[in-house]
Amino acid sequence: MIQMKNVIKKYPNGIIAVKGLNIEIKQGEFAYIVGPSGAGKSTFIKMMYREEKPTSGEIRVNGTDIAQLKDKEIPFLRRGMGVVFQDFKLLPRKNVYENVAFALEVIEEKPENIKKRVSDVLKLVGLAKKANMFPDELSGGEQQRVAIARSIVNTPKVVIADEPTGNLDPETSWEIMRLFDEINARGTTIIMATHNKEIVNTMRKRVIAIENGQIVRDERGGDYGYEF
Ligand code: ADP
Ligand code: ADP
């Protein structure tokens, strides 16, 4: 479902963050992206949802080369993916229900479908009882659950996550990771950059290691492989 061929990303300041990536991730996979800080993990992830445009190469998402998309076509790409960030990125003036519903409102989903879909995903992430609370009334783990609910409410084929447990304590991180595992078990592809060694070593998923803008390891049932 995601294929990269000879992808290079050079930023305007001259830094070459990604130096010729070739990778294929299939529908239903769960892949961790690991590697040192500054290795190019975020750049790799941002190119998948066209937050960054590759300088050259091909990035196919379900067959479409997204490197070639016009800006006005990007919203259509994003309808088929969910994105989860380290800092949650919730809307502070909207409550839990509204934060999740907003993702459907912007794509003009029918109001009668929105209510059912939002209640279903809030149940799935364990927040049905907190639908009326605001982000600043929630713990970090709960805020990340809202962000995950928002990312899947549109039933995307893939969820892309950049360090989603980076701001959470170890126990909360495990709860969030179990939630991603459950979403993956329901058929959604998960691609996640992480520094969480213990979780990667326990979950035994596909591990793609990036160093210096290049893939240096790609293993099924792999381990984290670093001491940090
Ligand atoms: P990682 O996520 O592995 O820490 P990044 O993809 O964030 O790596 O960064 C890779 C390299 O690209 C680093 O040298 C970083 O400083 C540089 N970089 C990242 N974003 C930008 C940007 N917007 N402009 C210029 N350089 C950037
Ligand atoms: P954690 O220890 O997991 O970080 P917190 O101590 O932040 O969690 O929150 C514990 C519980 O209290 C959570 O269920 C959260 O929703 C609730 N809570 C936290 N802050 C507030 C607040 N300002 N108003 C209402 N409820 C809150």
Side-chain angles (χ1 to χ4, degrees):
M1 77 163 316
I2 293 185
Q3 251 181 318
M4 294 200 181
K5 274 190 201 158
N6 304 319
V7 171
I8 293 173
K9 175 65 184 180
K10 183 177 178 180
Y11 283 111
N13 62 0
I15 288 180
I16 304 173
V18 160
K19 301 172 183 167
L21 284 190
N22 292 286
I23 191 94
E24 184 174 354
I25 296 171
K26 293 204 164 73
Q27 179 62 41
E29 283 199 88
F30 192 135
Y32 286 121
I33 313 299
V34 305
S37 266
K41 303 183 294 299
S42 289
T43 303
F44 170 74
I45 278 189
K46 283 177 181 163
M47 287 191 296
M48 279 185 230
Y49 61 97
R50 257 300 292 271
E51 178 70 20
E52 291 291 349
K53 195 175 175 169
T55 309
S56 63
E58 211 178 276
I59 302 177
R60 292 197 175 274
V61 176
N62 292 322
T64 306
D65 185 0
I66 66 161
Q68 306 297 333
L69 286 186
K70 298 189 180 72
D71 285 353
K72 65 168 198 268
E73 297 171 313
I74 294 172
F76 294 95
L77 165 74
R78 301 222 178 124
R79 281 180 197 194
M81 15 177 88
V83 186
V84 176
F85 306 93
Q86 179 170 0
D87 60 356
F88 324 133
K89 296 202 194 297
L90 300 177
L91 298 164
R93 291 174 201 284
K94 288 187 186 284
N95 69 25
V96 167
Y97 178 92
E98 292 160 348
N99 262 281
V100 178
F102 189 64
L104 292 176
E105 287 160 7
V106 295
I107 63 167
E108 292 168 2
E109 183 62 62
K110 293 194 196 79
E112 59 264 36
N113 296 342
I114 293 182
K115 214 171 163 190
K116 169 90 171 76
R117 242 341 259 164
V118 176
S119 320
D120 285 352
V121 289
L122 286 181
K123 241 177 259 165
L124 175 68
V125 304
L127 284 178
K129 293 202 172 104
K130 299 202 170 175
N132 296 319
M133 292 177 75
F134 285 84
D136 68 359
E137 298 175 310
L138 301 175
S139 70
E142 289 170 330
Q143 290 183 57
Q144 194 59 298
R145 285 173 185 274
V146 178
I148 293 170
R150 177 183 59 188
S151 79
I152 60 170
V153 71
N154 192 25
T155 55
K157 288 197 164 63
V158 56
V159 171
I160 295 167
D162 197 351
E163 297 250 18
T165 63
N167 285 341
L168 304 175
D169 60 61
E171 197 184 313
T172 308
S173 298
W174 268 110
E175 288 165 11
I176 292 298
M177 203 58 71
R178 279 191 282 271
L179 183 54
F180 277 112
D181 204 27
E182 187 179 336
I183 292 164
N184 176 244
R186 291 165 181 240
T188 309
T189 310
I190 309 277
I191 302 170
M192 182 187 302
T194 185
H195 279 120
N196 199 314
K197 178 180 173 181
E198 190 197 324
I199 286 180
V200 173
N201 286 346
T202 308
M203 300 281 280
R204 294 286 153 182
K205 307 288 190 187
R206 181 175 180 183
V207 175
I208 299 164
I210 299 182
E211 290 178 23
N212 209 356
Q214 291 181 308
I215 294 173
V216 294
R217 181 161 58 95
D218 182 359
E219 287 173 345
R220 298 201 183 261
D223 65 6
Y224 183 73
Y226 299 98
E227 280 312 313
F228 45 81

